[in-house]
Amino acid sequence: MYSKTRLAKWYMQFDDDEKQKLIEEVHAVVTVRDAKHTNFVEFRNFKIIYRRYAGLYFCICVDVTDNNLAYLEGIHNFVEVLNEYFHNVCELDLVFNFYKVYTVVDEMFLAGEIRETSQTKVLKQLLMLQSLE
Amino acid sequence: MPAVSKGDGMRGLAVFISDIRNCKSKEAEIKRINKELANIRSKFKGDKALDGYSKKKYVCKLLFIFLLGHDIDFGHMEAVNLLSSNKYTEKQIGYLFISVLVNSNSELIRLINNGIKNDLASRNPTFMCLALHCIANVGSREMAEAFAGEIPRILVAGDTMDSVKQSAALCLLRLHKASPDVVLMGEWTSRVVHLLNDQHMGVVTAAISLITCLSQKNPDEFKSCVPLAVSRLSRIVSSASTDLQDYTYYFVPAPWLSCKLLRLLQCYPPPEDGAVKGRLVECLETILNKAQEPPKSKKVQHSNAKNAILFEAISLIIHYDSEPNLLVRACNQLGQFLQHRETNLRYLALESMCTLASSEFSHEAVKTHIETVINALKTERDVSVRQRAADLLYAMCDRSNAKQIVAEMLSYLETADYSIREEMVLKVAILAEKYAVDYSWYVDTILNLIRIAGDYVSEEVWYRVIQIVINRDDVQGYAAKTVFEALQAPACHENMVKVGGYILGEFGNLIAGDPRSSPLVQFNLLHSKFHLCSVPSRALLLSAYIKFINLFPETKPTIQEVLRSDSQIRNSDVELQQRAVEYLKLSSIASTDVLATVLEEMPPFPERESSILAKLKKKKGPGAVSVSDLEEAKGEGGALNGSGDRGADAAATSNSATLSPSADLLGLRSAAPVAPGTGSLLVDVFPEAGPASAPAVSEDGFLRHLDLPPESSDSLLVEAPGESDFEDPALPLPESDDLLYKFVCKNNGVLFENQLLQIGTKSEYRQNLGRMYLFFGNKTSVQFSNFTTSITCPGDLQTQLNMQTKPVEPLVDGGAQVQQVLNIECLSDFSDAPLLNIMFSRYGGAQQNLTLKLPVTINKFFQPTEMSSQDFFQRWKQLSLPQQEAQKIFKANHSMDTDVIKTKLLGLGPALLEDVDPNPENFVCAGVIQTKGQQIGCLLRLEPNAQAQMFRLTLRSSKDTVSVHLCHLLAEQF
């Protein structure tokens, strides 16, 4: 199947080859699952929480003891922010504005943890940054 | 091109991205990229200074190219320059480039750190956040050293903006994780803890991750966070869904923060302060109550957010394991989820219930859901959900439901996914043994296991059934009948043949009265499987045949004929041939009495008799073990022990609970080492019971494999008493000396094997150089990760041997093999062996760590030297100084057959000289050991005394240490 990774963010040290391998493995375990399956997959010594939006998968890899539903909704919260920020977001927005998406990620997740959950606060901050030169 | 039309970005970048997207082929893309790279390079090198915008645009293009998967080897300097821009967009691209393309180029690090420092000091919150995000994303040691002092100050300063505090808290967390020694909280501790009271929920959300991490490391220092967390949680939980405004998500107040608070509390025991505890219990009750309220929204986001908190609350309740009321309520709530239409909830409920099952307060409540869980095992579409159902069945199993659960698991095994079969087999085997009240059930279960999933039944499992049958008179007849029936199947698994061969060889007489299973019928049945079996199984069958001759004299002619056939007596496999020859001879020359003595029924495994269990058994009779084991495993107390006499037994045994954790039912661990030495012909049950399958290690495998909760680690198959021996990687396995001796006279073979891993080796030597191939085979179906090997030369060996190798692949897929090549150079003579340390992890298990001796011995560097008899004795005399000679006189441990000895001596390396020694019975050898520094001539003389079954071994060499060491190595071989 044809697939592209639109954005990857790493919170642990890996070299480039390892990163590539991980991306391929994650792709392999996530895309074979169907809608009736859970949104969780065991992955190495971690687990992946993922959600599919149209043709795009959003995946987070977390510790096995982490709260599945909290991260599942963390993904949705992030997607809603993107949607608001890009006014009805589509995949191309993420391609052309990849450098802005990194900013959105850093506003909401930092050091592998949740930084801010309020959509209002995040969007306010993003609009402020947008207005800067 | 939507982004272009928005017109707020870098037009050149958007055009470039469009171009790339329009490329029809990979080649076209590469061409376009190279064109762009050339363009950017020329701009950067050009005489004209670039303005900030252009620089930003080009750096961003480079970043895009890198993210497409191409190498970028320039532009770093320009990116660093962007940090000093005072425009946000330029700074942002500079920081992003640095975060993504981390480069530990030391000059740049200094410049980058300088840029960060300026931004941290700028008092501009936007710039401070950019700098903090960069540190948090890179997290390098250099950055930790540079900023670990500054960031806590920013975090707790009164005038720091909220958004900066959020970033500072998580930035500090990253540095703490990466370099804990550099990040010292000390004086800041209390002020950091008080961030839990911050007005800004975002600050609390970020800070709590930091506090949780620090609390896990230093619970005492941070314990003042408990009352603060409880009061914060209480305020959130009791707030109306609109109170928290921005932090309400689909009508749920602050779900993420609530989860984090509940998670933080799991770092601590229940609060001691009654008021705090009361408030917390109230919170937990409120959360459980809310789960029963009608939903405020039909959206899945609402229920997910609500349930995220609920599951975290249940985790805390389980963690405390002290509030029976809450535990039972939690269990009931999860019970409802078991039948929910959302797969996610069913999965999480099964997972969470698994931990509830081990609490004495909720074990019974969990058990009431057995039918639902069995149904899940049968009908769930997602294998991971079925796996959780199997885990839960295992966790809820006790004596009252063991038969039902084992039966369901067995029937599930018939269709189970390959990925979980091995684990299921172990679970069934453990449960069957742990809760075996009548052993015919146990025998049936294990035979079914072999029938259904023979490939996944490990040696331990079928060894075990044999041990149990041997040791229990009351089950022997039943076992013989059952295996006989099982063997009737036209295709049966080889493991079944092994068990069948062994049991009929011992107890076939118990069913021989029935004409349908007369001795000859039994023999013909077994022999019909012979040709389909591997060598070790055939060897076992041959032993069963000789046992038959003793049990049933009437089968003697038939069996002798079989043994006499060319395919046996001339078998190309030396072990089979030897057995055929010896058994044939034994059967023809030994008198009936002798035969009866030699081939007597296997005695019960002696060490087991001496074990604590044996005492227990004498006192309490059968059945007691499984009951007491249950008690120990589950801590259920007397209430669960069924009724009547069993209950009385249980009470009695639990009183005599000096029962150590090592009271395994029939001590595989203790029995295995005994078997090879019993002197019986039938030691085949442990064909590899010697060093190669070190039982302690295998048990380790069981434990690791199932990832059992620690409280059940005293159950049968799961103790790992030797574990600590292996934790220090410097200590080789106790049996590694034996492993080493195995390879003195040969270069190829299996170096090590346990449940998980097989290590094969192959080596070749020339002069003072050698090459060794190691093959690491993953025997499981699960991937090994972080697989690393390291070779060390302890002590003086460092200067004597030079070993070189490349690291192996860190991932070894299930069933796959990886190879490692070692290049060896012998610098001077040596006596120690290099050590091989292997570490890896596997999903669901702890890290494995084992150390072996590598079979590199000094004799590998032998060059054979042919010489005449005269030369030999002349040199022999030249080496007549007392220290040049080493001699040993020892009893033969192996066959004294001339050819066997010759093969061994040739394998050792020197030339075997014919017609040199005046006594033709003696063996003499000559060779030179090649080291880089010197050549050491060695002469060897081996004098067998067949009558006394003794050897005298003499070695002379120009170096005393070599004589002694060679003599020592060789004496172990004969």
Side-chain angles (χ1 to χ4, degrees):
Chain A
M1 202 178 106
Y2 183 72
S3 79
K4 271 221 153 71
T5 304
R6 293 305 179 195
L7 189 126
K9 183 91 188 169
W10 307 88
Y11 298 98
M12 285 163 71
Q13 292 288 346
F14 297 103
D15 60 31
D16 290 343
D17 289 348
E18 182 74 1
K19 284 180 182 173
Q20 191 51 41
K21 212 168 159 194
L22 282 163
I23 286 176
E24 284 162 20
E25 278 180 42
V26 169
H27 177 262
V29 298
V30 167
T31 54
V32 295
R33 298 173 61 81
D34 71 36
K36 294 268 181 183
H37 287 172
T38 62
N39 292 85
F40 328 124
V41 207
E42 292 169 357
F43 181 74
R44 297 200 182 179
N45 292 328
F46 300 91
K47 65 187 174 195
I48 291 167
I49 315 289
Y50 72 95
R51 188 121 128 194
R52 185 177 175 164
Y53 294 88
L56 212 53
Y57 286 89
F58 288 76
C59 308
I60 298 188
C61 185
V62 296
D63 289 335
V64 279
T65 53
D66 277 327
N67 188 310
N68 297 42
L69 293 177
Y71 279 100
L72 186 59
E73 286 316 307
I75 290 174
H76 188 73
N77 201 27
F78 174 67
V79 172
E80 286 192 354
V81 167
L82 289 178
N83 197 46
E84 202 57 38
Y85 181 54
F86 288 108
H87 308 291
N88 217 346
V89 68
C90 68
E91 195 170 341
L92 279 187
D93 291 323
L94 309 184
V95 176
F96 281 92
N97 297 289
F98 70 96
Y99 56 98
K100 291 183 184 165
V101 182
Y102 277 104
T103 303
V104 183
V105 175
D106 281 351
E107 284 297 319
M108 301 187 73
F109 301 94
L110 194 63
E113 296 286 347
I114 294 172
R115 177 180 177 275
E116 180 56 85
T117 62
S118 157
Q119 293 185 18
T120 322
K121 289 226 160 67
V122 173
L123 285 164
K124 214 171 118 194
Q125 175 75 3
L126 290 173
L127 291 179
M128 190 277 285
L129 295 176
Q130 185 89 340
S131 70
L132 296 174
E133 246 207 289
Chain B
M1 295 184 295
V4 180
S5 59
K6 279 183 185 167
D8 57 349
M10 294 164 269
R11 192 175 160 76
L13 174 70
V15 170
F16 175 58
I17 295 175
S18 300
D19 283 359
I20 295 288
R21 289 180 56 80
N22 290 332
C23 285
K24 294 276 182 288
S25 66
K26 193 80 196 161
E27 290 71 30
E29 182 184 308
I30 291 172
K31 210 172 145 199
R32 178 68 185 87
I33 285 169
N34 285 336
K35 187 179 149 204
E36 195 62 40
L37 286 174
N39 173 43
I40 299 171
R41 212 186 289 267
S42 76
K43 296 285 185 197
F44 284 168
K45 280 196 182 149
D47 303 331
K48 219 174 66 182
L50 289 174
D51 60 16
Y53 172 79
S54 310
K55 215 182 274 176
K56 169 182 86 170
K57 183 179 70 186
Y58 293 131
V59 168
C60 201
K61 282 182 179 176
L62 286 178
L63 184 58
F64 183 75
I65 294 171
F66 175 79
L67 292 170
L68 283 177
H70 301 269
D71 286 339
I72 293 297
D73 54 6
F74 68 103
H76 300 78
M77 201 54 185
E78 285 74 12
V80 174
N81 286 341
L82 285 174
L83 300 190
S84 51
S85 162
N86 54 10
K87 290 189 173 145
Y88 164 74
T89 53
E90 292 169 16
K91 243 187 222 300
Q92 189 251 329
I93 297 294
Y95 274 123
L96 180 58
F97 185 94
I98 289 160
S99 305
V100 175
L101 278 100
V102 204
N103 196 328
S104 50
N105 182 325
S106 58
E107 291 164 51
L108 280 182
I109 283 287
R110 205 171 42 79
L111 291 172
I112 293 168
N113 280 357
N114 207 30
I116 292 174
K117 209 168 146 199
N118 290 337
D119 282 332
L120 286 182
S122 69
R123 309 186 68 81
N124 174 333
T126 306
F127 291 177
M128 288 172 86
C129 280
L130 275 181
L132 289 167
H133 292 182
C134 179
I135 302 173
N137 285 325
V138 175
S140 68
R141 183 149 190 101
E142 290 88 350
M143 285 188 178
E145 281 165 358
F147 302 111
E150 179 62 16
I151 295 170
R153 221 190 317 275
I154 295 174
L155 176 59
V156 299
D159 58 350
T160 303
M161 297 275 292
D162 292 329
S163 65
V164 178
K165 277 190 195 168
Q166 287 173 276
S167 300
L170 293 172
C171 186
L172 203 54
L173 171 62
R174 173 72 194 255
L175 294 185
H176 177 78
K177 279 186 178 164
S179 316
D181 54 316
V182 178
V183 181
L184 303 169
M185 293 311 294
E187 48 181 321
W188 309 111
T189 303
S190 138
R191 294 170 76 182
V192 168
V193 168
H194 275 86
L195 288 172
L196 289 176
N197 271 338
D198 201 287
Q199 284 190 330
H200 190 286
M201 300 274 273
V203 172
V204 189
T205 305
I208 197 167
S209 293
L210 173 67
I211 295 166
T212 305
C213 174
L214 295 169
S215 294
Q216 280 162 349
K217 294 243 172 85
N218 302 302
D220 277 349
E221 236 173 279
F222 285 84
K223 67 175 176 223
S224 60
C225 71
V226 172
L228 294 182
V230 170
S231 93
R232 189 92 210 195
L233 179 70
S234 158
R235 271 181 282 158
I236 297 173
V237 169
S238 58
S239 66
S241 58
T242 48
D243 286 358
L244 299 171
Q245 293 172 358
D246 292 354
Y247 288 89
T248 297
Y249 179 82
Y250 288 89
F251 304 103
V252 181
W256 293 280
L257 180 54
S258 304
C259 290
K260 287 269 175 193
L261 287 163
L262 290 161
R263 176 57 60 101
L264 171 60
L265 291 170
Q266 288 170 59
C267 302
Y268 292 93
E272 281 160 23
D273 181 326
V276 176
K277 187 169 179 195
R279 208 167 170 195
L280 178 56
V281 168
E282 215 170 276
C283 285
L284 295 170
E285 278 170 347
T286 310
I287 294 170
L288 286 167
N289 291 341
K290 280 189 177 174
Q292 294 297 326
E293 287 170 11
K296 295 197 173 68
S297 154
K298 286 212 168 74
K299 297 249 185 194
V300 70
Q301 284 78 17
H302 170 72
S303 67
N304 277 350
K306 205 165 120 176
N307 291 330
I309 302 172
L310 178 63
F311 278 109
E312 206 60 67
I314 292 176
S315 294
L316 183 62
I317 292 169
I318 296 170
H319 168 76
Y320 287 162
D321 196 12
S322 61
E323 299 286 329
N325 172 38
L326 290 177
L327 282 160
V328 170
R329 281 193 67 187
C331 184
N332 293 340
Q333 182 59 53
L334 295 175
Q336 289 180 19
F337 286 158
L338 287 181
Q339 315 217 40
H340 202 279
R341 62 188 163 78
E342 279 226 25
T343 316
N344 284 344
L345 282 183
R346 295 196 304 275
Y347 173 92
L348 293 171
L350 288 166
E351 186 180 63
S352 184
M353 236 185 210
C354 219
T355 42
L356 269 180
S358 56
S359 161
E360 57 175 312
F361 302 114
S362 47
H363 182 80
E364 281 302 295
V366 170
K367 274 168 63 186
T368 60
H369 299 286
I370 185 166
E371 297 301 336
T372 317
V373 181
I374 287 172
N375 196 39
L377 188 67
K378 287 177 178 162
T379 59
E380 284 289 352
R381 281 179 53 181
D382 184 340
V383 55
S384 61
V385 185
R386 295 197 297 274
Q387 165 101 56
R388 290 290 158 268
D391 290 346
L392 178 53
L393 283 179
Y394 181 76
M396 68 164 69
C397 191
D398 62 24
R399 218 168 53 85
S400 72
N401 56 21
K403 283 200 178 176
Q404 185 186 8
I405 287 179
V406 166
E408 293 294 347
M409 285 181 142
L410 272 175
S411 85
Y412 174 60
L413 253 179
E414 307 222 25
T415 54
D417 308 71
Y418 291 105
S419 55
I420 62 173
R421 279 195 182 188
E422 190 187 355
E423 189 177 325
M424 290 288 294
V425 165
L426 289 174
K427 285 187 166 155
V428 171
I430 289 173
L431 291 179
E433 181 169 343
K434 194 155 149 185
Y435 300 115
V437 176
D438 76 77
Y439 281 88
S440 55
W441 174 72
Y442 170 76
V443 169
D444 282 343
T445 303
I446 300 296
L447 292 184
N448 266 329
L449 206 52
I450 295 174
R451 189 176 54 75
I452 294 166
D455 283 345
Y456 298 86
V457 171
S458 60
E459 307 265 271
E460 281 75 7
V461 174
W462 74 263
Y463 290 174
R464 188 74 120 194
V465 70
I466 285 176
Q467 288 169 20
I468 288 178
V469 170
I470 298 270
N471 287 40
R472 300 198 53 89
D473 302 344
D474 53 340
V475 79
Q476 288 161 356
Y478 181 78
K481 181 166 157 285
T482 317
V483 292
F484 179 78
E485 280 161 11
L487 287 172
Q488 306 281 342
C492 58
H493 195 272
E494 192 165 334
N495 279 337
M496 186 73 85
V497 179
K498 290 183 191 168
V499 176
Y502 199 102
I503 288 182
L504 292 181
E506 294 292 326
F507 309 113
N509 54 327
L510 300 178
I511 56 167
D514 186 328
R516 283 167 301 179
S517 52
S518 71
L520 266 176
V521 173
Q522 286 185 40
F523 171 75
N524 287 331
L525 181 61
L526 276 182
H527 197 54
S528 68
K529 315 285 182 193
F530 187 90
H531 304 279
L532 302 169
C533 287
S534 64
V535 168
S537 311
R538 290 184 187 195
L540 185 149
L541 285 178
L542 288 178
S543 299
Y545 297 169
I546 186 76
K547 284 250 169 177
F548 265 47
I549 292 182
N550 177 46
L551 286 182
F552 317 116
E554 67 266 38
T555 61
K556 186 167 160 178
T558 317
I559 291 175
Q560 281 185 331
E561 196 177 322
V562 167
L563 292 175
R564 209 179 284 123
S565 74
D566 277 358
S567 61
Q568 307 297 355
I569 211 160
R570 292 186 200 281
N571 195 297
S572 61
D573 184 273
V574 67
E575 177 67 29
L576 292 183
Q577 190 188 89
Q578 186 173 352
R579 285 190 192 218
V581 171
E582 286 177 7
Y583 292 163
L584 183 60
K585 200 77 184 161
L586 181 67
S587 68
S588 32
I589 59 171
S591 70
T592 327
D593 283 353
V594 172
L595 214 53
T597 313
V598 174
L599 299 172
E600 202 177 6
E601 185 181 307
M602 278 293 278
F605 291 87
E607 270 199 26
R608 185 201 52 244
E609 279 302 324
S610 70
S611 77
I612 301 159
L613 177 79
K615 264 189 250 162
L616 193 74
K617 229 168 48 174
K618 247 179 266 159
K619 257 192 240 166
K620 303 297 162 206
V625 176
S626 49
V627 178
S628 70
D629 190 65
L630 166 72
E631 287 204 328
E632 290 223 336
K634 301 256 187 226
E636 286 165 333
L640 288 175
N641 284 311
S643 54
D645 52 349
R646 288 282 172 226
D649 268 354
T653 43
S654 59
N655 287 340
S656 67
T658 43
L659 185 64
S660 98
S662 66
D664 52 341
L665 184 52
L666 288 162
L668 171 67
R669 199 171 53 81
S670 47
V674 167
T678 51
S680 157
L681 285 164
L682 282 193
V683 293
D684 303 288
V685 172
F686 307 101
E688 263 124 31
S693 65
V697 180
S698 338
E699 293 226 336
D700 202 32
F702 269 78
L703 174 72
R704 295 290 161 75
H705 194 103
L706 285 166
D707 198 19
L708 287 163
E711 63 266 36
S712 54
S713 64
D714 51 359
S715 68
L716 292 169
L717 291 168
V718 292
E719 54 174 313
E723 199 175 9
S724 58
D725 295 346
F726 306 135
E727 269 172 8
D728 182 356
L731 285 181
L733 294 179
E735 66 272 18
S736 40
D737 274 330
D738 296 328
L739 296 176
L740 188 68
Y741 292 134
K742 246 175 69 181
F743 284 87
V744 167
C745 295
K746 65 175 187 176
N747 287 334
N748 306 336
V750 175
L751 179 59
F752 173 81
E753 187 162 11
N754 67 10
Q755 280 282 303
L756 310 175
L757 180 72
Q758 185 190 56
I759 307 174
T761 177
K762 209 173 135 179
S763 46
E764 54 202 32
Y765 293 88
R766 239 191 115 189
Q767 308 279 355
N768 69 323
L769 300 177
R771 178 168 296 165
M772 177 178 284
Y773 299 86
L774 292 172
F775 305 92
F776 301 96
N778 179 347
K779 289 173 66 180
T780 71
S781 53
V782 190
Q783 187 185 57
F784 293 164
S785 58
N786 302 325
F787 190 91
T788 53
T789 64
S790 58
I791 314 282
T792 45
C793 290
D796 290 344
L797 197 61
Q798 281 172 33
T799 57
Q800 296 162 341
L801 267 191
N802 186 1
M803 308 268 301
Q804 283 183 337
T805 184
K806 287 198 184 123
V808 286
E809 278 291 302
L811 294 180
V812 188
D813 286 331
Q817 196 183 59
V818 293
Q819 181 186 334
Q820 186 174 30
V821 185
L822 314 177
N823 286 316
I824 307 163
E825 184 184 16
C826 175
L827 303 173
S828 64
D829 71 281
F830 60 95
S831 320
D832 288 330
L835 299 180
L836 166 68
N837 173 252
I838 301 144
M839 287 200 272
F840 59 94
S841 352
R842 39 190 316 231
Y843 174 72
Q847 178 158 53
Q848 304 283 322
N849 185 352
L850 59 100
T851 302
L852 303 168
K853 291 190 175 177
L854 275 179
V856 181
T857 43
I858 185 70
N859 63 292
K860 301 293 178 194
F861 303 96
F862 250 128
Q863 299 292 309
T865 320
E866 293 292 342
M867 57 181 77
S868 67
S869 174
Q870 197 188 347
D871 286 345
F872 181 87
F873 285 104
Q874 191 182 345
R875 291 189 197 190
W876 186 261
K877 279 184 200 122
Q878 281 165 3
L879 295 170
S880 57
L881 292 174
Q883 66 267 31
Q884 288 172 330
E885 182 182 280
Q887 189 171 73
K888 265 196 176 173
I889 297 168
F890 53 92
K891 203 151 178 63
N893 286 316
H894 300 278
S895 157
M896 293 188 78
D897 180 84
T898 308
D899 286 336
V900 174
I901 293 173
K902 277 187 181 168
T903 311
K904 285 182 179 169
L905 288 172
L906 283 170
L908 185 75
L912 180 62
L913 305 176
E914 302 282 354
D915 305 322
V916 168
D917 200 290
N919 180 349
E921 299 290 309
N922 291 350
F923 302 88
V924 293
C925 302
V928 174
I929 287 179
Q930 301 271 354
T931 74
K932 194 181 182 198
Q934 70 183 130
Q935 302 195 335
I936 305 155
C938 302
L939 302 175
L940 176 157
R941 196 172 189 203
L942 181 69
E943 300 158 88
N945 179 341
Q947 223 167 3
Q949 289 284 303
M950 300 284 283
F951 283 109
R952 177 161 70 190
L953 172 68
T954 315
L955 266 141
R956 289 188 177 184
S957 82
S958 51
K959 199 142 183 210
D960 50 351
T961 47
V962 172
S963 304
V964 171
H965 186 54
L966 275 178
C967 190
H968 173 74
L969 282 178
L970 251 191
E972 300 291 332
Q973 304 298 319
F974 297 104

